Each structure stands twice: as structure tokens, then as C-alpha cells.
């Protein structure tokens, strides 16, 4: 019921129940009579209640009998009420009405995780089908791995290495040449970031544009390339596609999929060969697109034993 019901215009108002004349009743009062009645005319008055609401009053003389519910109608209504407690996906009866959709909490959780899993596959298929989509793989942290620092660009669709070079030191001629080459190569491309998980620190495009472990400030934002800035054409990262597909969560009650903690196995390689790493990550996107990539053995829709999505419901 609303917090307040405004008065009807041009209808007599009574501020107390004891002022209401005999023969005037509310709709609820008429329905509680034996036999039950309902208003047969427009309201002729209204009474204030709860301090801020007005209840319409109807003449008892004009009231008409309420149509009684037939046994068949009563059975249908009883069945509908019973179904409000029954999950339409797993068939389990809940203690409270399930409301719109009629799914219990475990099924709603599983369906939410499944929808994210499904959307991840659609995104992977979109990336695999996009001829302009490329993976940008970066290794520029001097203390992260021994050996040469490098950068590579790998096509997502054909897994072909489009560019691979040593990154050079920050501020050097070699680094500037690499950045100029990336500017030309990545123009109008859909750039997929390398996941910044499970490996060396800061293997992201922005690491090419600043000193290691330095957070960019307002002064150097203009120096960012379109493929490295926050408002760039970068679509996502491999981890952001794989995590909802794999469906791992760090909490039994969380619907936020994430990459397992450091040291856990992930399906892409992290090595000194950045080009090979890019091809490995492109392979992950292909396997997600065709549905052959594994999911977590405790993924919600697997663990609850009722299959994937709402279509498996009863």
C-alpha cells in the first residue's frame, strides 16, 4: 500500500471513523460481510485513516454480491499460489514465495554465473572472427624476468606474429622506434591486452610509456598512445574473457568471476618468448569460442547438478 492515499476531489471527507454515517462502508468492509459484497456505485464519501490517507466509502444499499469463485477457479488459484514456492529450474520448494521468475537462490546464482560464462564465449567468438583483433604482449620490466625485454603483436584470428622486437630501454632511440611501429601497426585495430595476471609485474601496454613502477600523472597523459590509453580501442584482456568462462570465484556466495590466486594454473604461457605467449593466449580465445576450453569443476551450474541456464528448468 502506498505511504499515503490522497483525497478524492468533490467527495465528502470525514476525519474520524465515528463521524462516518451508517450505511457507508469501505471496499474491504463490504468484502468481509456475509455474503461478501462489492461496491455497486461510485464512492459517496471518504474517511481519513493513518493520518495521511483517505479510504473511499460506498453505500451499502447500492452494493452488489461478489461473484463467488468456482471450485475449478479455486483449484487454479491454489495451484498458482503453490507454484510461487516452487523453483521452476530445480523443483525445490522454498519457505518463502520466490517472486518474479520463480528461481531459488542457488539456481539464481548458477544462472548468473552461466550467463557470464555464455557472454564470455560470445565475446571470444567476436574477437576470433574480427580480422582486426590483435594481442599486444609486453615485457618491459627490468626486474621481472632475466633476458631481453620485448614486445609482440599477434593476430587473434590466425595466431600469426605480426611484429616482434626488443623493447629497448625507457627513453632510448630503440624504445621510440618500437612505439612508432606500434602506432602504425595498431591504428584502427581492436587491441586485446595481455592479462596482467599470473606472471611478471606490469606486462601491460602502459608499461612501454613510462619508467617501471611509476604511476602516470596528469602531465604525461598526453604522451600515451591511443592503443595504451584508458579511452583507447583496447577491448578487453584474455583474463577478462577467460575468467567468466572458467567461472572460478574466490567466495561461495560471489558471482564475480576472477583469475585464481598467484601460482594457480592458467591456460596460457608466460615466458621470455613474448610472441609464443601471444600465440598461446590467442589459442585460449579460440578454445573458448569453440567451447573446448575447460571450466572450473566447481562452476555453479555444474556443481548444482541441474545443467546450464534456465532452459533446464521444469
Amino acid at each position: 500500500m502506498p505511504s499515503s492515499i490522497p483525497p478524492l476531489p468533490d467527495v465528502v471527507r470525514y476525519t474520524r471513523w465515528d463521524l462516518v454515517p451508517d450505511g457507508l462502508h469501505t471496499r474491504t468492509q463490504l468484502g468481509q460481510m456475509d455474503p461478501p459484497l462489492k461496491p455497486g456505485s461510485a464512492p459517496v464519501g471518504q474517511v481519513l485513516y493513518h493520518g495521511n490517507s483517505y479510504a473511499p466509502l460506498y453505500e451499502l444499499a447500492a452494493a452488489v454480491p461478489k461473484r463467488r469463485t468456482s471450485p475449478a477457479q479455486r483449484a487454479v488459484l491454489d495451484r498458482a499460489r503453490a507454484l510461487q514456492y516452487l523453483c521452476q529450474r530445480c523443483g525445490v520448494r522454498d519457505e518463502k514465495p520466490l517472486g518474479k521468475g520463480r528461481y531459488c537462490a542457488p539456481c539464481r546464482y548458477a544462472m548468473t554465473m552461466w550467463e557470464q560464462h555464455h557472454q564470455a564465449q560470445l565475446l571470444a567468438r567476436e574477437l576470433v572472427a574480427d580480422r582486426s583483433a590483435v594481442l599486444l604482449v609486453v615485457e618491459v620490466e627490468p626486474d621481472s624476468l632475466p633476458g631481453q625485454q620485448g614486445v609482440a603483436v599477434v593476430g587473434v584470428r590466425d595466431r600469426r606474429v605480426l611484429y616482434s622486437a626488443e623493447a629497448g630501454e625507457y627513453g632510448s632511440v630503440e624504445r621510440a622506434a618500437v612505439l612508432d611501429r606500434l602506432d602504425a601497426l595498431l591504428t584502427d585495430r581492436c587491441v586485446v591486452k595481455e592479462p596482467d595476471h599470473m606472471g611478471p609485474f606490469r606486462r601491460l601496454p602502459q608499461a612501454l610509456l613510462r619508467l617501471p613502477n611509476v604511476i602516470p600523472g596528469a602531465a604525461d597523459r598526453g604522451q600515451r598512445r591511443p592503443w595504451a590509453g584508458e579511452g583507447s580501442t583496447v577491448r578487453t584482456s584474455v583474463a577478462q574473457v577467460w575468467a567468466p568462462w572458467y567461472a572460478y570465484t574466490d567466495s561461495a556466495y560471489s558471482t564475480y568471476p576472477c583469475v585464481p590466486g598467484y601460482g594457480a594454473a592458467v591456460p596460457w604461457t608466460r615466458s621470455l618468448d613474448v610472441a609464443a605467449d601471444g600465440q598461446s593466449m590467442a589459442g585460449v580465445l579460440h578454445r573458448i569460442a569453440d567451447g573446448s576450453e575447460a571450466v572450473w569443476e566447481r562452476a555453479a551450474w555444474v556443481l548444482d547438478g541441474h545443467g546450464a541456464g534456465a532452459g533446464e528448468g521444469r
Side-chain angles (χ1 to χ4, degrees):
M1 178 177 290
S3 58
S4 65
I5 300 176
L8 298 171
D10 303 324
V11 177
V12 179
R13 303 179 190 177
Y14 301 99
T15 57
R16 299 199 312 269
W17 287 97
D18 58 353
L19 299 177
V20 177
D22 293 339
L24 297 186
H25 299 275
T26 65
R27 184 184 296 271
T28 300
Q29 290 171 336
L30 291 175
Q32 292 174 344
M33 293 183 177
D34 187 19
L37 303 174
K38 64 179 181 179
S41 63
V44 296
Q46 53 193 331
V47 61
L48 180 67
Y49 72 103
H50 288 171
N52 60 353
S53 296
Y54 283 86
L57 297 170
Y58 303 90
E59 290 182 323
L60 177 61
V64 296
K66 292 183 72 173
R67 187 178 66 176
R68 292 184 176 274
T69 305
S70 68
Q73 290 174 322
R74 177 60 60 187
V76 170
L77 292 174
D78 290 343
R79 172 62 176 167
R81 292 191 185 96
L83 286 176
Q84 288 298 313
Y85 295 83
L86 199 66
C87 176
Q88 67 167 324
R89 182 170 178 266
C90 69
V92 170
R93 182 176 178 81
D94 204 289
E95 296 180 356
K96 298 179 180 179
L98 297 175
K100 186 177 180 180
R102 290 200 299 107
Y103 296 112
C104 63
C107 283
R108 194 178 298 111
Y109 172 83
M111 290 165 60
T112 300
M113 297 300 293
W114 165 261
E115 181 60 26
Q116 295 179 82
H117 166 86
H118 177 61
Q119 292 299 321
Q121 184 178 45
L122 294 180
L123 178 55
R125 288 174 176 174
E126 180 182 333
L127 293 171
V128 168
D130 188 350
R131 294 181 181 275
S132 72
V134 293
L135 269 162
L136 177 57
V137 188
V138 175
E139 171 52 69
V140 296
E141 288 290 337
D143 299 327
S144 57
L145 284 176
Q148 295 293 332
Q149 303 168 32
V151 60
V153 178
V154 178
V156 173
R157 183 184 177 99
D158 55 11
R159 287 176 263 193
R160 184 166 60 94
V161 179
L162 303 178
Y163 177 64
S164 180
E166 295 181 9
E169 295 183 2
Y170 178 82
S172 66
V173 174
E174 291 79 12
R175 177 68 63 87
V178 167
L179 296 177
D180 290 342
R181 177 62 177 146
L182 291 176
D183 286 343
L185 185 61
L186 301 179
T187 300
D188 299 326
R189 291 255 188 193
C190 173
V191 181
V192 182
K193 295 184 295 183
E194 176 189 11
D196 192 20
H197 294 278
M198 313 307 299
F201 184 64
R202 297 294 185 196
R203 291 184 68 174
L204 292 179
Q206 291 88 343
L208 289 165
L209 308 179
R210 61 177 184 268
L211 286 168
N213 304 321
V214 174
I215 300 175
D220 61 1
R221 286 176 184 170
Q223 300 176 9
R224 291 186 178 185
R225 267 56 177 185
W227 41 266
E230 295 178 359
S232 68
T233 56
V234 172
R235 292 290 304 276
T236 183
S237 75
V238 174
Q240 288 171 317
V241 179
W242 177 78
W245 170 268
Y246 189 66
Y248 168 82
T249 60
D250 53 11
S251 170
Y253 303 101
S254 172
T255 56
Y256 179 75
C258 55
V259 176
Y262 189 86
V266 291
W268 55 80
T269 60
R270 301 303 297 266
S271 68
L272 295 174
D273 189 341
V274 290
D277 289 354
Q279 291 174 318
S280 169
M281 295 172 203
V284 172
L285 295 177
H286 278 261
R287 293 195 299 274
I288 292 175
D290 64 28
S292 61
E293 178 63 33
V295 299
W296 190 32
E297 67 275 6
R298 295 183 61 190
W301 64 88
V302 174
L303 193 63
D304 75 356
H306 301 300
E312 305 293 330
R314 298 177 184 178

